[in-house]
Each structure stands twice: as structure tokens, then as C-alpha cells.
Amino acid sequence: MEKFNKIVEKYEVPLWQAVVSIWFFIEYFCNKEVDSLFGDGVFWAVFALLEVIKIKMKSKKKIKIH
């Protein structure tokens, strides 16, 4: 359980961004009246992916320094 908590703590921001992205996709596919929701979902999905990459690169730098 402790390992899970550390992972969730480390990736808290991208997890919330992924939740927002999924919410936009669900809203878009259930209610197609608002076309901008799909674009918003894509934006937040890409933003979450970039955040995960940033976290991974940051942890690799720490390993190389020590």
C-alpha cells in the first residue's frame, strides 16, 4: 500500500489531468451538442502525457547526478 501511495503522490497532477480528459470525452460522446469538448479532452490528455514525461525525465536526472 505504501508503494501505491508513493506512486499516486508522484503522479497526482497527471492523474487529475487524465480524469479531466476522460470526463471531457465522456461528455462529448454522450452529448454531442458541444463540439469543443473533444478538443478539450485531447488537450488535457496531451498535457497529462507531457507532465508524465517531465516527471520521468526529472527522476532520471536525479539518478545521473548521484
Side-chain angles (χ1 to χ4, degrees):
M1 190 68 174
E2 186 176 323
K3 185 176 181 180
F4 176 75
N5 287 340
K6 286 182 181 181
I7 291 171
V8 170
E9 188 175 306
K10 183 177 181 180
Y11 294 104
E12 180 180 8
V13 173
L15 287 171
W16 278 113
Q17 291 170 341
V19 168
V20 168
S21 176
I22 292 168
W23 180 75
F24 278 127
F25 287 132
I26 290 170
E27 281 293 317
Y28 173 74
F29 289 117
C30 290
N31 184 11
K32 292 190 177 193
E33 293 175 3
V34 182
D35 292 333
S36 65
L37 289 175
F38 185 77
D40 292 340
V42 171
F43 171 79
W44 283 107
V46 170
F47 205 60
L49 181 64
L50 291 174
E51 189 71 25
V52 168
I53 292 170
K54 183 180 93 172
I55 291 169
K56 292 273 188 185
M57 297 298 285
K58 190 176 180 181
S59 66
K60 283 185 181 181
K61 278 186 177 180
K62 286 183 181 179
I63 293 171
K64 288 181 181 180
I65 290 173
H66 296 281

